Amino acid sequence: MPSQECSHVKLNGNQCRSSALAGRKLCYFHARMRRATQAKLNSALPRLLLLEDETSIQGALMQVIDMLLADQIDPKKARLILDAIRIACRNVKHIKPERSDFADSHLRW
């Protein structure tokens, strides 16, 4: 029986496509990231996006800017998050880009 695919949908609309863990809906990476993110975030802060592609990095940057402007985050914590976003920007250049299934399906007639 083929394994089920991870149900995580990236911000660009593509599904993860890695094999889900046995009896779970997520792959190892996304299950681990979701647990870590939920455990570490201050409950007063909104959940930040995973930094997995250019679109989600831009979305996370906008979230931090919005939180700063609304005085919902300490500037020191925001600086740490922005440093992490900066690292993600550098790293994403080394990740093979994915084609969007949505875009592909609309390009074929």
Side-chain angles (χ1 to χ4, degrees):
M1 180 174 164
S3 61
Q4 185 176 6
E5 288 183 347
C6 177
S7 64
H8 176 79
V9 177
K10 299 177 183 182
L11 199 57
N12 67 4
N14 289 339
Q15 188 171 347
C16 170
R17 295 188 189 230
S18 292
S19 295
L21 295 170
R24 306 281 306 271
K25 292 183 178 185
L26 298 172
C27 67
Y28 174 78
F29 174 78
H30 287 112
R32 186 171 158 250
M33 293 306 295
R34 191 165 289 175
R35 278 192 312 269
T37 300
Q38 289 173 350
K40 292 180 182 179
L41 280 178
N42 180 338
S43 62
L45 295 177
R47 186 169 176 210
L48 292 174
L49 300 169
L50 285 176
L51 304 177
E52 59 189 356
D53 58 19
E54 293 97 342
T55 306
S56 61
I57 291 169
Q58 183 65 32
L61 177 61
M62 291 185 313
Q63 278 185 299
V64 174
I65 291 168
D66 287 343
M67 288 186 294
L68 274 169
L69 292 173
D71 291 326
Q72 294 176 335
I73 187 171
D74 176 64
K76 289 181 183 181
K77 187 177 280 191
R79 182 180 301 270
L80 290 173
I81 295 170
L82 292 172
D83 286 343
I85 291 172
R86 189 175 298 113
I87 291 168
C89 284
R90 284 193 299 251
N91 291 345
V92 78
K93 294 174 187 173
H94 304 290
I95 297 172
K96 182 181 174 185
E98 294 183 28
R99 292 182 60 163
S100 171
D101 294 334
F102 178 77
D104 289 346
S105 67
H106 284 76
L107 291 175
R108 289 186 228 137
W109 296 85

